[in-house]
Amino acid sequence: VRLVESGGELVQAGGSLRLSCTASGQTFFSRYTVAWFRLTPGKEREFVSAISGSGGNTQYADSVKGRFTISRDNAKMSVYLDMNNLKPEDTAVYYCAAETLGRLLPTTQKHYGTWGQGTRVTVSS
């Protein structure tokens, strides 16, 4: 499976964005757990959110809980991250990652074998 992120852009604090992660290739997309991570300079890649293959289980980092929502449309082979009430500290390159993990929702990047190229989100104050 290959992953491509889109939707990142410059937005003012308090604004909203929707990131998309679209898969391609010969794959049973519904078997893949998909996660979002983000990377800011000087930091390690940070877990943001994850969703199980069926979409029935989700997990969020404390820093985004209540503001971000992850969802998926397996027919479109896509996972979305709706980000509301954005803050300057949300500024980062956002990556989606996928792996066949059953119902597990790991929060560490080592568990995910396929990554997209990232999409940049900049939140101005």
Side-chain angles (χ1 to χ4, degrees):
V1 63
R2 293 181 295 276
L3 303 174
V4 177
E5 303 96 332
S6 61
E9 62 181 70
L10 173 65
V11 63
Q12 287 189 332
S16 299
L17 280 178
R18 165 174 269 205
L19 304 184
S20 298
C21 171
T22 301
S24 62
Q26 295 294 324
T27 180
F28 293 97
F29 185 65
S30 62
R31 295 182 180 177
Y32 285 83
T33 295
V34 177
W36 287 95
F37 289 80
R38 63 187 182 186
L39 181 64
T40 54
K43 295 185 178 181
E44 292 189 358
R45 200 144 47 177
E46 172 192 23
F47 172 79
V48 176
S49 184
I51 188 167
S52 61
S54 68
N57 296 318
T58 58
Q59 184 158 306
Y60 298 92
D62 288 342
S63 58
V64 306
K65 203 170 292 183
R67 299 189 297 123
F68 291 10
T69 302
I70 192 169
S71 61
R72 69 189 294 158
D73 184 339
N74 285 337
K76 295 182 178 179
M77 297 176 63
S78 293
V79 170
Y80 308 102
L81 186 68
D82 289 299
M83 308 187 294
N84 297 309
N85 190 21
L86 282 161
K87 304 176 181 180
E89 51 263 42
D90 294 319
T91 296
V93 177
Y94 284 72
Y95 298 86
C96 66
E99 189 55 77
T100 51
L101 296 166
R103 299 179 66 178
L104 296 176
L105 299 175
T107 62
T108 52
Q109 54 184 323
K110 68 179 182 180
H111 290 96
Y112 297 90
T114 300
W115 292 78
Q117 83 292 345
T119 185
R120 183 175 299 277
V121 173
T122 303
V123 184
S124 63
S125 57

